[in-house]
C-alpha cells in the first residue's frame, strides 16, 4: 500500500509536499488546512489557514485565529502547487468540512475529518464525495456503537423534566456543536421555554445564532433566581457538572449528552443520572455504510478505534491502514 | 421485561442509596403481578434460575457477529452482558417483547439442549437494555450495586412497613411474593413467618463512647469474637443459617447446619472456623469459607466452622425475645449442654468488677480472635436493630473503620501482576463515597489473590494502571489516627492504614461515614 508521492503521512498529520501544507496539524505550522473548529483539529498559532468561513469564525471566537485566514466556501477550489483542494460538508458541526484533494496524478483523496450522516439542524448535511482513498475518522468504530435517534433521546430528557418539575435539569454537553444541536433539537421537539447556559457556552451560542441557526430564548445561569431554574433545562460543559458551580442549583438532575453514554461505565464515570446518547460522530453503521457507498480503493483511518474498522475493511476486500495520528482527542463528543 | 430492564438502567446511574430505594420502591408499587414479585426476587438473589454459562452466550454471539469484532468490542466494553446487549442484531420489530414472567418461565424450562434456542429466541425479542437484563439474569450475574437487603428495605419503605417485620416473614415466602404484596397493600393478612426455619432480625450494639459513665452492675460482659454474626435456626424439620443481613447462607455451611438439632430453636452467635488447636482460627480462615458458595469436602475438613452462641431467640416453638437477657442466657446455657460441642459452644461471660478491670479487659483480651468487648444490659429484651442504651460494643485498639473499596492499582515488584494498592472511602454528608486513604498491606497472600480477582470482576472503569470498581466491597481498615487532608475531598486521611480484613458480610451502605471517622481523631 503506497501513498501517492504528493502526500506525506506522519504521526503529526497529513502534509501536501509541494505546498508544505498540513491537514489538521497537531502543532502550529506555516500553512494549514482545517476541517473544523474542535480544538484537536483547529490549533492556535498557525501562519496561514484555509477553512470554511464558519470554521475561521469559530477559531477566532476561541482565540485560535491563524495569522492569515483564507476562507474557502464549500465546493470552491484552491490550488496547492498542483493539488486541487476543495471543502465539502461533513455534517459534524457548524462549518465542518471534508477536504477533497486531487493530485497531479489524478488520484483523489478525501479526508472526512469528524463527520456524521444524521440530519442536524445546525449544519449542512454530509456530502458523499467519490474518491480513490478515503481518510476516515473512527471515533465510534466498534459495532457496540449504534446511536439511537436523537429525537428519542430528547424525548427522554423532556420526560425527565416533566417528572421532576422541582429539579434543575443540568445537561453536560460540549460547548461547540453538541450544545447548539441540543438546543435546536429541543426547539424542534416543541420545547419553547428559555434554556439556561453556563458562562462558557455563551459566546459560541451567539456565534451560531449569528450564522442563522434558530436557538430561541437563551439566558445565562449566573444571576438567574433559583426558583426560575427549577424545572429548567441548563447546559454546561462536562467539566462543570461536578464542580462547585453546580452546587447552588436546585437539586440538579445531571444528564450528559454524548455518544460515549452508550457504555454504562462511561455514564457512571461522568456521574450522569440521565445518560443521553447524542453524538456528532458517525456510528459503526454509518462509518461502514459510508465506506461501502463510496467504495474507495483504499481506506486510511485517522483516529479512534482503528483496529476494528481496518479489520472490517479487510473482510470486505478493501485495503485499509491505521495512520496513528497523534494529538486527536476522541473523547470529546 | 422492558420495565425491569429500565429499572436496572436507572439503578446503574442512580447517584445515591436514597435514589435507588425510591426507584426500586416505585417499580414494586407500579408494576403488575407477577412481574414485580419476580423483579423483587431478582434483586434479592432469590430467582434461583439454572445458570446459563457465559461460554454459551459467547457462542451465540459469535454465530451472529464477526468474532474479531466481538473480541474487540468485549475488550473495550469489559462486561459480557453489556457487549452482547449492544452487538446482538436487532430483531424483527413485529415481535413484542416478553414480560419478565415469560422470560423467567422460559429460562426455567430450558434444558442443556434447548438453552441456546431459548436464550437467542428471547434476545431476538428485546432491545439493548432488555438484552442486558436478560443476559444478567440468565448467567446469574445480576449485580446492580443493590444488595438483597436494599431491595427489602425499598419494599418496606414504599409500603410503609418496618424492615424488621418484612425480614421476619421473608424466608417463608416464595417468588413472586403475592401474599407479601397483598399484605403490603392491605389486601391480605401478614403472612406467617413460615412453617420452616425463619429469620429473626438481629439485635445490634452501639459503639461505646463513655465507658466511665456505664453502670457496671446493670451489665453483663462478653467478648466480641472476630467472625461473622450468624443465626442458626431449626424449626419444623427445616434447618437454616442466616447472615446478618438476613440472607440464607445454609448452602455454604452444610457442616454446621447438619449439626443443628431437630428440636426447634433459634441461636444468635458468631460463626468461626476452628483452628487445629481447637480455638477460633483467624478471620482469614473464615474468609475462605465465606468465599465459597458450595464448599468441597477438603475445605470442610480443613476449615470446619462452629457457632459460638451469644443468645437464644426461640426454643421449642416459644419466642424468647421479650424476656430479659438474664433469663435468655440461663436458657441458652441449658440448651447448649445438649448440642454437639464441636459445632456449638457458648460465648463465655467475662467477670468485670470495676472500671479498671473493664479497661484492662479491653486492652488485653486473652485471645487473638477477640475484637473487643460486648456490654449488654442484664434486663435487655432482644430487639431488632440498633437500639440505644441496651447493648454496647467496645472495640480493642487500634482504631478501625469500615470503608468501601473505590479504586485499585497494580502493585510493584513481585506484586506487579496484582491489584494490590487499594484506595477506599467513607460516606460523605451528601451520600457519596469520598476517599479517606490508601492501603498497600495488611492482607495475606490468599486475600491478595482474592482481592485481585474481585477487582477484575467488578471493574467499572479503567484509567491506565488504575481500575475503578463497583462500590460494593467493604474493607475493615485499621489505622493509627486521623489526619486532616487537603488532597482528599473528604478532608481527612487515615494514618498508617492497613487492611485488617475483608468484610464480605457487610453491605457498602453500612460502611462508616467520614464524620464518624473524623470523630476518632479526637484523643
Ligand atoms: Zn470534531
Ligand atoms: Zn476529532
Amino acid at each position: 500500500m503506497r501513498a501517492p508521492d504528493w502526500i506525506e503521512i506522519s504521526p503529526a498529520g497529513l502534509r501536501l509536499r509541494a505546498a508544505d501544507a498540513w491537514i489538521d496539524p497537531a502543532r502550529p505550522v506555516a500553512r494549514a488546512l482545517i476541517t473544523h473548529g474542535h480544538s484537536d483539529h483547529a490549533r492556535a498559532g498557525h501562519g496561514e489557514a484555509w477553512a470554511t468561513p464558519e470554521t475561521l469564525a469559530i477559531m477566532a471566537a476561541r482565540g485560535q485565529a491563524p495569522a492569515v485566514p483564507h476562507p474557502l466556501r464549500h465546493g470552491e477550489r484552491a490550488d496547492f502547487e498542483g493539488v486541487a483542494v476543495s471543502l465539502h460538508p461533513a455534517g459534524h458541526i457548524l462549518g465542518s468540512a471534508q477536504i477533497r484533494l486531487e493530485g497531479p496524478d489524478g488520484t483523489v483523496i478525501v479526508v472526512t475529518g469528524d463527520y456524521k450522516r444524521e440530519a442536524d439542524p445546525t449544519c449542512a448535511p454530509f456530502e458523499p464525495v467519490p474518491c480513490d482513498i478515503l481518510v476516515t475518522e473512527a471515533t465510534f468504530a466498534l459495532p457496540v456503537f449504534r446511536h439511537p435517534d436523537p429525537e428519542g433521546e430528547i424525548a427522554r430528557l423532556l420526560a425527565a423534566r416533566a417528572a421532576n418539575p422541582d429539579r434543575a435539569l443540568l445537561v453536560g454537553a460540549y460547548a461547540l456543536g453538541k450544545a447548539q444541536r441540543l438546543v435546536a433539537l429541543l426547539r424542534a421537539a416543541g420545547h419553547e421555554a428559555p434554556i439556561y447556559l453556563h458562562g462558557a457556552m455563551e459566546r459560541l451560542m451567539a456565534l451560531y445564532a449569528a450564522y442563522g441557526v434558530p436557538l430561541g430564548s437563551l439566558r445565562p445561569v449566573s444571576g438567574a433566581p433559583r426558583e426560575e431554574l427549577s424545572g429548567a433545562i441548563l447546559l454546561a460543559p462536562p467539566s462543570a457538572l461536578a464542580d462547585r458551580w453546580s452546587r447552588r442549583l436546585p437539586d440538579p438532575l445531571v444528564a450528559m449528552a454524548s455518544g460515549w453514554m452508550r457504555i454504562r461505565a462511561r455514564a457512571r464515570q461522568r456521574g450522569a443520572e440521565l445518560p443521553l446518547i447524542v453524538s456528532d460522530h458517525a456510528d459503526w453503521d454509518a462509518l461502514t455504510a459510508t465506506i461501502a457507498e463510496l467504495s474507495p480503493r483504499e481506506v486510511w483511518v485517522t483516529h479512534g478505534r482503528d483496529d476494528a474498522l481496518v479489520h472490517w475493511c479487510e473482510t470486505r476486500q478493501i485495503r485499509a491502514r491505521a495512520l496513528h495520528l497523534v494529538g486527536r482527542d476522541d473523547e470529546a463528543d | 421485561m422492558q420495565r425491569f430492564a429500565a429499572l436496572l438502567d436507572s439503578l446503574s446511574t442512580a447517584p445515591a442509596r436514597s435514589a435507588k430505594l425510591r426507584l426500586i420502591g416505585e417499580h414494586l408499587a407500579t408494576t403488575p403481578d407477577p412481574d414485580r414479585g419476580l423483579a423483587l426476587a431478582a434483586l434479592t438473589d432469590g430467582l434461583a434460575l439454572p445458570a446459563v454459562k457465559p461460554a454459551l452466550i459467547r457462542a451465540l454471539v459469535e454465530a451472529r457477529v464477526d468474532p474479531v469484532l466481538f473480541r474487540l468490542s468485549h475488550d473495550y466494553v469489559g462486561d459480557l452482558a453489556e457487549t452482547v446487549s449492544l452487538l446482538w442484531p436487532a430483531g424483527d420489530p413485529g415481535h413484542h417483547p416478553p414480560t419478565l414472567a415469560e422470560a423467567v418461565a422460559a429460562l426455567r424450562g430450558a434444558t442443556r439442549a434447548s438453552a441456546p434456542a431459548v436464550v437467542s429466541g428471547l434476545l431476538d425479542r428485546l432491545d439493548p437494555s432488555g438484552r442486558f437484563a436478560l443476559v444478567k439474569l440468565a448467567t446469574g450475574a445480576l449485580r446492580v450495586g443493590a444488595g438483597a437487603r436494599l431491595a427489602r428495605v425499598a419494599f418496606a419503605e414504599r409500603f410503609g412497613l418496618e424492615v424488621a417485620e418484612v425480614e421476619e416473614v421473608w424466608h417463608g415466602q416464595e417468588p413472586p411474593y403475592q401474599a407479601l404484596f397483598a399484605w403490603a397493600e392491605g389486601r391480605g393478612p401478614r403472612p406467617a413467618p413460615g412453617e420452616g426455619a425463619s429469620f429473626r432480625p438481629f439485635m445490634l450494639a452501639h459503639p461505646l463512647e463513655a465507658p466511665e459513665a456505664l453502670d457496671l452492675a446493670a451489665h453483663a460482659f462478653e467478648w466480641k469474637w472476630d467472625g461473622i454474626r450468624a443465626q442458626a435456626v431449626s424449626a419444623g424439620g427445616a434447618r437454616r443459617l442466616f447472615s446478618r443481613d438476613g440472607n440464607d447462607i445454609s448452602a455454604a455451611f452444610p457442616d454446621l447446619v447438619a449439626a443443628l438439632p431437630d428440636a426447634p430453636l433459634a441461636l444468635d452467635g458468631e460463626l468461626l472456623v476452628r483452628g487445629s488447636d481447637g480455638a477460633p482460627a483467624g478471620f482469614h480462615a473464615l474468609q475462605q469459607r465465606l468465599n465459597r458458595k458450595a464448599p468441597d469436602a477438603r475445605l470442610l475438613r480443613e476449615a470446619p466452622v462452629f457457632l459460638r452462641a451469644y443468645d437464644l431467640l426461640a426454643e421449642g416453638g416459644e419466642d424468647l425475645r421479650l424476656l430479659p437477657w438474664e433469663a435468655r442466657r440461663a436458657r441458652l446455657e441449658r440448651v447448649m449442654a445438649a448440642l454437639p460441642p464441636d459445632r456449638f459452644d457458648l460465648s463465655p461471660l467475662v467477670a468485670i468488677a470495676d472500671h479498671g478491670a473493664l479497661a484492662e479487659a479491653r486492652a488485653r483480651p486473652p485471645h487473638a480472635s477477640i475484637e473487643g468487648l460486648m456490654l449488654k444490659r442484664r434486663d435487655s429484651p432482644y430487639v431488632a436493630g440498633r437500639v440505644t442504651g441496651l447493648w454496647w460494643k467496645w472495640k480493642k485498639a487500634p482504631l478501625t473503620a469500615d470503608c468501601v473499596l473505590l479504586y485499585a492499582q497494580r502493585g510493584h515488584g513481585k506484586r506487579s501482576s496484582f491489584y494490590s494498592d487499594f484506595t477506599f472511602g467513607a460516606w460523605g454528608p451528601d451520600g457519596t463515597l469520598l476517599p479517606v486513604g490508601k492501603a498497600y498491606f495488611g492482607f495475606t497472600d490468599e486475600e491478595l489473590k482474592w482481592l485481585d480477582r474481585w477487582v477484575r470482576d467488578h471493574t467499572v472503569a479503567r484509567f491506565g494502571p488504575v481500575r475503578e470498581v463497583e462500590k460494593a466491597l467493604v474493607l475493615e481498615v485499621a489505622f493509627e489516627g486521623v489526619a486532616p487532608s487537603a488532597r482528599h475531598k473528604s478532608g481527612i486521611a487515615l494514618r498508617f492504614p492497613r487492611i485488617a480484613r475483608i468484610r464480605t458480610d457487610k453491605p457498602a451502605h453500612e460502611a462508616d461515614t467520614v464524620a464518624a471517622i473524623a470523630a476518632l481523631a479526637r484523643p
Side-chain angles (χ1 to χ4, degrees):
Chain A
M1 225 179 291
R2 262 191 45 230
D5 57 9
W6 48 269
I7 193 157
E8 179 195 318
I9 304 169
S10 78
L14 298 174
R15 186 175 76 98
L16 305 183
R17 285 180 199 275
D20 188 27
W22 294 79
I23 294 170
D24 288 353
R27 283 174 289 107
V29 296
R31 272 177 294 285
L33 296 165
I34 307 294
T35 58
H36 67 288
H38 278 146
S39 53
D40 55 328
H41 296 259
R43 308 257 162 185
H46 297 316
E48 296 177 82
W50 286 259
T52 62
E54 295 87 344
T55 296
L56 290 169
I58 289 167
M59 290 175 77
R62 307 178 108 194
Q64 294 161 339
V68 186
H70 296 286
L72 206 56
R73 298 188 176 283
H74 287 311
E76 202 179 322
R77 281 167 90 102
D79 178 68
F80 280 70
E81 307 287 336
V83 178
V85 170
S86 56
L87 303 181
H88 304 267
H92 175 56
I93 60 167
L94 179 70
S96 65
Q98 311 172 70
I99 301 180
R100 180 185 184 277
L101 309 164
E102 185 172 347
D105 58 351
T107 305
V108 174
I109 299 179
V110 168
V111 181
T112 65
D114 293 339
Y115 79 96
K116 71 172 174 288
R117 305 294 303 258
E118 264 165 15
D120 179 343
T122 69
C123 63
F126 178 91
E127 176 191 322
V129 182
C131 55
D132 301 298
I133 298 171
L134 180 71
V135 185
T136 180
E137 67 139 321
T139 306
F140 290 107
L142 274 176
V144 292
F145 292 110
R146 292 194 160 89
H147 306 325
D149 284 339
E151 290 75 18
E153 300 299 286
I154 293 298
R156 289 175 53 224
L157 175 61
L158 291 174
R161 173 180 181 253
N164 297 281
D166 299 328
R167 302 178 70 181
L169 270 92
L170 176 60
V171 186
Y174 277 92
L176 171 56
K178 185 66 56 65
Q180 295 78 14
R181 185 170 174 220
L182 286 178
V183 172
L185 283 165
L186 281 164
R187 299 306 182 210
H191 179 78
E192 283 166 8
I195 292 172
Y196 291 81
L197 304 177
H198 182 277
M201 294 274 176
E202 289 172 22
R203 190 178 334 172
L204 287 166
M205 217 44 100
L207 187 146
Y208 265 62
Y211 273 91
V213 178
L215 299 174
S217 164
L218 302 173
R219 294 183 189 171
V221 172
S222 65
R226 223 175 126 89
E227 322 73 80
E228 212 174 293
L229 299 178
S230 297
I233 293 177
L234 282 56
L235 297 181
S239 58
L241 292 184
D243 73 11
R244 308 174 61 84
W245 176 83
S246 65
R247 288 193 200 151
R248 57 175 212 89
L249 303 176
D251 188 16
L253 192 164
V254 176
M256 170 76 199
S258 161
W260 298 114
M261 293 299 105
R262 188 42 117 179
I263 307 295
R264 283 158 203 267
R266 293 298 194 100
R268 279 195 296 259
Q269 223 172 303
R270 279 283 183 209
E273 189 172 345
L274 180 67
L276 300 171
I277 309 166
V278 181
S279 173
D280 285 328
H281 290 267
D283 66 3
W284 173 257
D285 288 337
L287 289 166
T288 55
T290 301
I291 296 171
E293 175 185 353
L294 298 174
S295 169
R297 199 177 72 218
E298 268 181 40
V299 171
W300 299 351
V301 184
T302 53
H303 63 303
R305 265 116 297 278
D306 44 27
D307 40 10
L309 198 57
V310 168
H311 170 82
W312 181 88
C313 289
E314 283 163 355
T315 62
R316 299 298 190 281
Q317 317 298 325
I318 301 167
R319 296 213 256 167
R321 61 185 283 192
L323 299 185
H324 303 296
L325 298 190
V326 297
R328 292 283 188 272
D329 170 21
D330 58 23
E331 292 297 302
D333 174 47
Chain B
M1 189 79 206
Q2 298 298 99
R3 287 193 65 139
F4 179 63
L7 171 66
L8 293 189
D9 281 353
S10 15
L11 284 177
S12 86
T13 51
R17 181 164 184 267
S18 58
K20 290 191 167 119
L21 287 174
R22 203 168 51 234
L23 287 164
I24 297 171
E26 212 40 43
H27 184 83
L28 297 178
T30 58
T31 305
D33 288 319
D35 273 23
R36 60 176 172 172
L38 295 170
L40 184 56
L43 295 174
T44 52
D45 204 13
L47 265 187
L49 294 171
V52 171
K53 292 256 185 310
L56 183 150
I57 305 281
R58 219 168 270 147
L60 289 176
V61 189
E62 289 189 344
R64 287 161 177 79
V65 178
D66 181 325
V68 174
L69 294 178
F70 168 64
R71 181 179 55 75
L72 290 170
S73 298
H74 190 200
D75 280 358
Y76 185 81
V77 175
D79 181 87
L80 177 69
E82 185 170 2
T83 311
V84 172
S85 74
L86 297 173
L87 279 181
W88 195 266
D92 178 349
H95 284 309
H96 54 90
T99 62
L100 182 56
E102 276 178 76
V104 166
L107 290 172
R108 232 176 227 150
T111 61
R112 256 179 104 92
S114 71
V118 167
V119 173
S120 62
L122 289 168
L123 288 172
D124 282 340
R125 293 165 62 193
L126 291 163
D127 69 2
S129 68
R131 294 194 288 258
F132 175 79
L134 186 90
V135 176
K136 288 287 185 197
L137 275 182
T139 54
L142 192 69
R143 242 191 342 245
V144 289
R149 183 137 205 284
L150 186 74
R152 289 196 289 268
V153 172
F155 174 83
E157 285 187 358
R158 183 60 179 74
F159 292 106
L161 303 166
E162 290 296 325
V163 185
E165 270 188 299
V166 172
E167 292 193 322
E168 188 152 347
V169 298
W170 183 262
H171 290 281
Q173 306 301 308
E174 293 288 329
Y177 303 115
Q178 264 147 350
L180 209 58
F181 280 103
W183 166 52
E185 291 174 339
R187 295 180 283 107
R190 177 171 189 235
E195 288 298 284
S198 62
F199 172 69
R200 294 166 180 81
F202 278 92
M203 177 160 177
L204 305 171
H206 270 282
L208 183 64
E209 270 148 22
E212 61 288 349
L214 203 71
D215 171 10
L216 295 187
H219 289 79
F221 308 92
E222 202 174 4
W223 300 118
K224 184 174 180 342
W225 296 93
D226 189 15
I228 65 162
R229 272 294 274 293
Q231 190 178 110
V233 187
S234 176
R239 299 175 174 85
R240 277 182 182 155
L241 189 69
F242 297 103
S243 67
R244 225 191 70 179
D245 48 7
N247 291 322
D248 184 343
I249 52 171
S250 311
F253 301 96
D255 41 353
L256 183 71
V257 172
L260 273 164
D262 285 331
L265 91 175
L267 289 168
D268 173 0
E270 196 82 11
L271 188 65
L272 297 159
V273 163
R274 199 178 291 284
S276 48
D277 59 352
F283 192 82
H284 66 270
L286 179 61
Q287 194 77 56
Q288 308 172 42
R289 292 290 306 264
L290 293 173
N291 294 340
R292 209 68 80 70
K293 275 200 172 160
D296 55 23
R298 202 176 63 105
L299 187 60
L300 289 176
R301 203 169 51 242
E302 287 176 1
V305 291
F306 69 104
L307 189 78
R308 183 150 283 181
Y310 294 133
D311 216 320
L312 183 66
L313 314 185
E315 189 202 356
E318 188 189 345
D319 191 336
L320 308 182
R321 286 177 289 176
L322 292 179
L323 296 182
W325 174 86
E326 255 174 343
R328 294 198 310 277
R329 176 77 191 188
R331 288 182 69 160
L332 173 68
E333 287 177 9
R334 215 164 347 105
V335 163
M336 293 307 291
L339 297 180
D342 59 327
R343 295 297 181 187
F344 297 93
D345 67 12
L346 190 61
S347 170
L349 296 182
V350 185
I352 283 172
D354 52 39
H355 282 95
L358 179 66
E360 177 66 19
R362 183 235 179 192
R364 265 177 284 282
H367 194 278
S369 281
I370 290 172
E371 48 167 4
L373 272 173
M374 293 295 300
L375 304 87
K376 298 177 176 174
R377 274 200 71 94
R378 293 180 172 273
D379 58 0
S380 59
Y382 192 97
V383 283
R386 225 180 285 276
V387 177
T388 312
L390 297 181
W391 287 8
W392 306 98
K393 60 180 174 192
W394 199 17
K395 280 197 183 186
K396 67 178 180 189
L399 303 171
T400 63
D402 289 329
C403 299
V404 179
L405 181 61
L406 303 176
Y407 303 96
Q409 185 169 357
R410 279 173 192 277
H412 298 284
K414 83 177 166 66
R415 298 205 307 204
S416 63
S417 65
F418 287 102
Y419 285 93
S420 60
D421 300 359
F422 304 103
T423 301
F424 44 80
W427 294 104
D430 60 345
T432 60
L433 283 164
L434 305 174
V436 294
K438 196 171 179 181
Y440 314 88
F441 59 93
F443 32 77
T444 63
D445 288 357
E446 284 307 306
E447 286 172 323
L448 174 59
K449 273 188 212 152
W450 187 88
L451 282 164
D452 177 74
R453 196 169 339 111
W454 195 93
V455 167
R456 290 170 196 275
D457 291 348
H458 297 77
T459 299
V460 298
R462 297 164 199 218
F463 317 90
V466 178
R467 291 190 181 210
E468 180 182 358
V469 298
E470 242 173 67
K471 311 299 175 288
L473 183 64
V474 176
L475 301 173
E476 184 183 296
V477 179
F479 55 95
E480 301 307 319
V482 182
S485 162
R487 202 164 49 84
H488 286 150
K489 209 175 145 191
S490 63
I492 58 169
L494 304 188
R495 292 181 58 227
F496 307 116
R498 64 260 181 203
I499 292 173
R501 56 178 174 146
I502 305 165
R503 295 292 306 258
T504 45
D505 59 314
K506 203 164 208 196
H509 69 83
E510 284 193 30
D512 284 308
T513 60
V514 170
I517 296 174
L520 296 172
R522 283 182 252 122

